[in-house]
PDB file of all heavy atoms in Angstrom:
ATOM      1  N   PHE K 161       4.166  10.749  12.100  1.00  0.00           N
ATOM      2  CA  PHE K 161       5.290  10.606  10.947  1.00  0.00           C
ATOM      3  C   PHE K 161       5.262  11.875  10.095  1.00  0.00           C
ATOM      4  O   PHE K 161       6.297  12.158   9.451  1.00  0.00           O
ATOM      5  CB  PHE K 161       5.254   9.383  10.261  1.00  0.00           C
ATOM      6  CG  PHE K 161       5.566   8.230  11.086  1.00  0.00           C
ATOM      7  CD1 PHE K 161       4.576   7.454  11.692  1.00  0.00           C
ATOM      8  CD2 PHE K 161       6.828   7.769  11.414  1.00  0.00           C
ATOM      9  CE1 PHE K 161       4.765   6.234  12.441  1.00  0.00           C
ATOM     10  CE2 PHE K 161       7.024   6.739  12.310  1.00  0.00           C
ATOM     11  CZ  PHE K 161       6.014   5.951  12.743  1.00  0.00           C
ATOM     12  N   PRO K 200      11.733   9.252  12.974  1.00  0.00           N
ATOM     13  CA  PRO K 200      11.934   8.842  11.492  1.00  0.00           C
ATOM     14  C   PRO K 200      11.330   7.620  11.415  1.00  0.00           C
ATOM     15  O   PRO K 200      11.235   6.744  12.254  1.00  0.00           O
ATOM     16  CB  PRO K 200      13.409   8.871  11.434  1.00  0.00           C
ATOM     17  CG  PRO K 200      13.975   8.631  12.802  1.00  0.00           C
ATOM     18  CD  PRO K 200      12.978   9.220  13.629  1.00  0.00           C
ATOM     19  N   LEU K 201      11.036   7.199  10.082  1.00  0.00           N
ATOM     20  CA  LEU K 201      10.427   5.904   9.696  1.00  0.00           C
ATOM     21  C   LEU K 201      11.592   4.984   9.456  1.00  0.00           C
ATOM     22  O   LEU K 201      11.972   4.738   8.431  1.00  0.00           O
ATOM     23  CB  LEU K 201       9.517   6.070   8.519  1.00  0.00           C
ATOM     24  CG  LEU K 201       8.594   4.830   8.194  1.00  0.00           C
ATOM     25  CD1 LEU K 201       7.673   4.531   9.392  1.00  0.00           C
ATOM     26  CD2 LEU K 201       7.788   5.070   6.997  1.00  0.00           C
ATOM     27  N   THR K 202      12.032   4.346  10.417  1.00  0.00           N
ATOM     28  CA  THR K 202      13.175   3.346  10.431  1.00  0.00           C
ATOM     29  C   THR K 202      12.624   2.016  10.879  1.00  0.00           C
ATOM     30  O   THR K 202      11.552   1.817  11.389  1.00  0.00           O
ATOM     31  CB  THR K 202      14.322   3.884  11.301  1.00  0.00           C
ATOM     32  OG1 THR K 202      13.949   4.018  12.671  1.00  0.00           O
ATOM     33  CG2 THR K 202      14.888   5.204  10.865  1.00  0.00           C
ATOM     34  N   VAL K 203      13.513   1.082  10.876  1.00  0.00           N
ATOM     35  CA  VAL K 203      13.247  -0.324  11.300  1.00  0.00           C
ATOM     36  C   VAL K 203      12.809  -0.367  12.695  1.00  0.00           C
ATOM     37  O   VAL K 203      11.900  -1.174  13.105  1.00  0.00           O
ATOM     38  CB  VAL K 203      14.331  -1.252  11.005  1.00  0.00           C
ATOM     39  CG1 VAL K 203      14.131  -2.660  11.627  1.00  0.00           C
ATOM     40  CG2 VAL K 203      14.691  -1.395   9.510  1.00  0.00           C
ATOM     41  N   GLU K 204      13.316   0.566  13.515  1.00  0.00           N
ATOM     42  CA  GLU K 204      12.964   0.579  14.916  1.00  0.00           C
ATOM     43  C   GLU K 204      11.501   0.852  15.182  1.00  0.00           C
ATOM     44  O   GLU K 204      10.822   0.545  16.178  1.00  0.00           O
ATOM     45  CB  GLU K 204      13.886   1.618  15.681  1.00  0.00           C
ATOM     46  CG  GLU K 204      15.288   1.196  15.934  1.00  0.00           C
ATOM     47  CD  GLU K 204      16.149   1.395  14.617  1.00  0.00           C
ATOM     48  OE1 GLU K 204      15.587   1.977  13.720  1.00  0.00           O
ATOM     49  OE2 GLU K 204      17.237   1.076  14.663  1.00  0.00           O
ATOM     50  N   ALA K 205      10.859   1.472  14.091  1.00  0.00           N
ATOM     51  CA  ALA K 205       9.421   1.788  14.238  1.00  0.00           C
ATOM     52  C   ALA K 205       8.608   0.596  13.762  1.00  0.00           C
ATOM     53  O   ALA K 205       7.285   0.710  13.875  1.00  0.00           O
ATOM     54  CB  ALA K 205       9.112   3.007  13.475  1.00  0.00           C
ATOM     55  N   ALA K 206       9.170  -0.305  13.178  1.00  0.00           N
ATOM     56  CA  ALA K 206       8.394  -1.473  12.527  1.00  0.00           C
ATOM     57  C   ALA K 206       7.509  -2.181  13.472  1.00  0.00           C
ATOM     58  O   ALA K 206       6.445  -2.532  13.194  1.00  0.00           O
ATOM     59  CB  ALA K 206       9.259  -2.520  11.834  1.00  0.00           C
ATOM     60  N   SER K 228      19.608   1.714  11.508  1.00  0.00           N
ATOM     61  CA  SER K 228      19.023   2.474  10.248  1.00  0.00           C
ATOM     62  C   SER K 228      20.063   2.689   9.245  1.00  0.00           C
ATOM     63  O   SER K 228      19.632   3.089   8.083  1.00  0.00           O
ATOM     64  CB  SER K 228      18.403   3.852  10.659  1.00  0.00           C
ATOM     65  OG  SER K 228      19.317   4.570  11.250  1.00  0.00           O
ATOM     66  N   TRP K 231      19.201  -0.613   7.122  1.00  0.00           N
ATOM     67  CA  TRP K 231      17.900  -0.732   6.651  1.00  0.00           C
ATOM     68  C   TRP K 231      17.108   0.570   6.905  1.00  0.00           C
ATOM     69  O   TRP K 231      17.295   1.108   7.916  1.00  0.00           O
ATOM     70  CB  TRP K 231      17.108  -1.863   7.350  1.00  0.00           C
ATOM     71  CG  TRP K 231      17.767  -3.257   7.249  1.00  0.00           C
ATOM     72  CD1 TRP K 231      18.743  -3.725   8.073  1.00  0.00           C
ATOM     73  CD2 TRP K 231      17.653  -4.194   6.207  1.00  0.00           C
ATOM     74  NE1 TRP K 231      19.155  -4.954   7.701  1.00  0.00           N
ATOM     75  CE2 TRP K 231      18.493  -5.250   6.506  1.00  0.00           C
ATOM     76  CE3 TRP K 231      16.817  -4.373   4.994  1.00  0.00           C
ATOM     77  CZ2 TRP K 231      18.503  -6.426   5.690  1.00  0.00           C
ATOM     78  CZ3 TRP K 231      16.926  -5.427   4.325  1.00  0.00           C
ATOM     79  CH2 TRP K 231      17.762  -6.496   4.688  1.00  0.00           C
ATOM     80  N   GLN K 232      16.163   0.811   5.966  1.00  0.00           N
ATOM     81  CA  GLN K 232      15.260   1.912   6.213  1.00  0.00           C
ATOM     82  C   GLN K 232      13.931   1.794   5.705  1.00  0.00           C
ATOM     83  O   GLN K 232      13.786   1.377   4.505  1.00  0.00           O
ATOM     84  CB  GLN K 232      15.889   3.268   5.670  1.00  0.00           C
ATOM     85  CG  GLN K 232      15.071   4.578   5.998  1.00  0.00           C
ATOM     86  CD  GLN K 232      15.763   5.781   5.546  1.00  0.00           C
ATOM     87  OE1 GLN K 232      16.752   5.742   4.824  1.00  0.00           O
ATOM     88  NE2 GLN K 232      15.116   6.878   5.873  1.00  0.00           N
ATOM     89  N   LEU K 233      13.003   1.951   6.459  1.00  0.00           N
ATOM     90  CA  LEU K 233      11.519   1.859   5.928  1.00  0.00           C
ATOM     91  C   LEU K 233      11.236   3.036   5.042  1.00  0.00           C
ATOM     92  O   LEU K 233      11.393   4.145   5.503  1.00  0.00           O
ATOM     93  CB  LEU K 233      10.617   1.703   7.021  1.00  0.00           C
ATOM     94  CG  LEU K 233      10.872   0.636   8.128  1.00  0.00           C
ATOM     95  CD1 LEU K 233       9.558   0.472   8.974  1.00  0.00           C
ATOM     96  CD2 LEU K 233      11.017  -0.768   7.459  1.00  0.00           C
TER      97      LEU K 233
END
Side-chain angles (χ1 to χ4, degrees):
F161 293 98
L201 192 59
T202 59
V203 171
E204 287 78 6
S228 57
W231 305 88
Q232 186 173 6
L233 305 188

